[in-house]
Amino acid sequence: MPRGARTSNQRQVRFGTAELMRDLDRPNSWLLSVDGVAQSHVDLDDPTYLDFDYVRRIGDVIDCLPDGPLRALHIGGGACTLPRYIAARRPGSSQLVFDVDAELIEFVRERLDLRGVPRLRVRITDGRTGVASRPDASADLVVLDAFERAAMPGGLATLEFTRDVARVLRPGGTYVVNISDGPGLRFARRVVATAAEVFDSVLLLADPGVLRGRRFGNLVLAASAAELPVAELTRRAASAVFRARLVTGADLRSLVGRAEPITDAAPAAAPTPPDSAFT
């Protein structure tokens, strides 16, 4: 920790009270929450350890990308779990995080050694402004994992924003989105419909109970102009400690049904989890 840094495990940030709690099962691991909603888990000794199930699924997508360093954009920072993972798994990667919460990022810098992550930059701005500022075909990977008061900002789910992400991606680049939704999957189905308007290849990874509408939870969407590694991701999902189901092709079209893409003119509010659910 830098000399003179505050040592409180709580900090008032833009969207509430951020708190860091030590993970008693793993030395030097921390859980970051905001107003009691879990946001990130990081293991400072082993950044390749991914504790949250949905983050592990995103890690699987990253692991299945072509070998070598990545140029990655992250919309939403939190404790920067995935940028740390990429830096460890793919040395030489260049990464940029967009996050609107300056106080939260400073808290993470002070307490969780954010400056020690190689070739990582953080810019305090919203995701739409940040992506709009990037050159065409400049990123291999864009990860959207942004929440404000436990819900995805609606402006990050629209067709207009998704097209801008596609502009920034290199040919064959991959877009990954963390979606949270509950029974009926009304919001998730519209997010998938939006991605399918822009990208040729789309898949969804989630706990079977979430897909069946039994409970609130996280779904990971991956999209690309190129074919996604469906077979390998299916194998990884089926062999995970907490198994997930991969849905694509006709099954995904059936899941989406008549759901319409989200647009700036017809926005959709993302659901917030019940008190008993963690994001």
Side-chain angles (χ1 to χ4, degrees):
M1 184 181 299
R3 182 177 297 177
R6 287 174 284 182
T7 59
S8 172
N9 277 3
Q10 291 188 341
R11 182 74 55 85
Q12 289 300 122
V13 298
R14 178 169 179 170
F15 297 111
T17 301
E19 183 176 12
L20 281 172
M21 293 173 284
R22 187 180 293 276
D23 183 342
L24 300 180
D25 294 327
R26 298 182 65 88
N28 211 17
S29 293
W30 298 86
L31 176 69
L32 172 68
S33 65
V34 177
D35 280 354
V37 178
Q39 301 288 325
S40 305
H41 180 282
V42 292
D43 186 328
L44 298 183
D45 293 335
D46 180 10
T48 66
Y49 174 77
L50 302 177
D51 190 75
F52 292 178
D53 294 342
Y54 86 85
V55 179
R56 178 65 266 170
R57 291 170 196 138
I58 296 176
D60 287 340
V61 175
I62 293 167
D63 289 345
C64 291
L65 299 180
D67 293 340
L70 297 172
R71 294 183 64 87
L73 296 181
H74 302 265
I75 303 160
C80 291
T81 304
L82 285 166
R84 297 171 197 267
Y85 180 81
I86 291 173
R89 296 280 290 181
R90 293 172 178 261
S93 293
S94 176
Q95 303 187 78
L96 177 60
V97 172
F98 300 127
D99 198 292
V100 296
D101 196 330
E103 294 83 4
L104 179 63
I105 292 298
E106 186 57 31
F107 187 39
V108 171
R109 281 198 179 107
E110 289 180 5
R111 302 303 313 276
L112 298 178
D113 192 29
L114 191 56
R115 292 184 177 89
V117 182
R119 303 191 67 180
L120 173 64
R121 294 178 295 142
V122 181
R123 183 178 300 171
I124 304 302
T125 187
D126 67 274
R128 290 192 71 149
T129 301
V131 169
S133 72
R134 304 307 298 163
D136 294 358
S138 59
D140 302 300
L141 173 69
V142 175
V143 178
L144 170 56
D145 187 9
F147 287 80
E148 295 177 1
R149 297 185 176 92
M152 179 194 294
L156 299 181
T158 67
L159 186 60
E160 291 83 356
F161 176 70
T162 306
R163 286 174 173 155
D164 207 25
V165 169
R167 174 191 64 79
V168 169
L169 283 170
R170 292 174 171 174
T174 302
Y175 183 38
V176 182
V177 184
N178 172 33
I179 311 164
S180 62
D181 206 351
L185 299 179
R186 293 179 182 176
F187 180 71
R189 290 190 296 113
R190 293 195 66 187
V191 174
V192 175
T194 304
E197 283 284 311
V198 178
F199 295 98
D200 295 329
S201 184
V202 181
L203 63 80
L204 201 61
L205 286 161
D207 178 284
V210 175
L211 284 170
R212 293 173 186 146
R214 293 178 179 172
R215 64 180 182 84
F216 196 99
N218 296 85
L219 308 96
V220 171
L221 178 147
S224 178
E227 186 175 352
L228 291 163
V230 170
E232 175 61 16
L233 287 171
T234 299
R235 185 191 67 78
R236 286 175 176 244
S239 62
V241 175
F242 296 99
R243 293 183 180 181
R245 181 184 168 201
L246 185 148
V247 185
T248 192
D251 289 339
L252 187 59
R253 290 191 292 273
S254 178
L255 178 69
V256 171
R258 296 183 180 181
E260 295 289 334
I262 301 167
T263 65
D264 287 343
T272 56
D275 291 342
S276 60
F278 278 160
T279 299

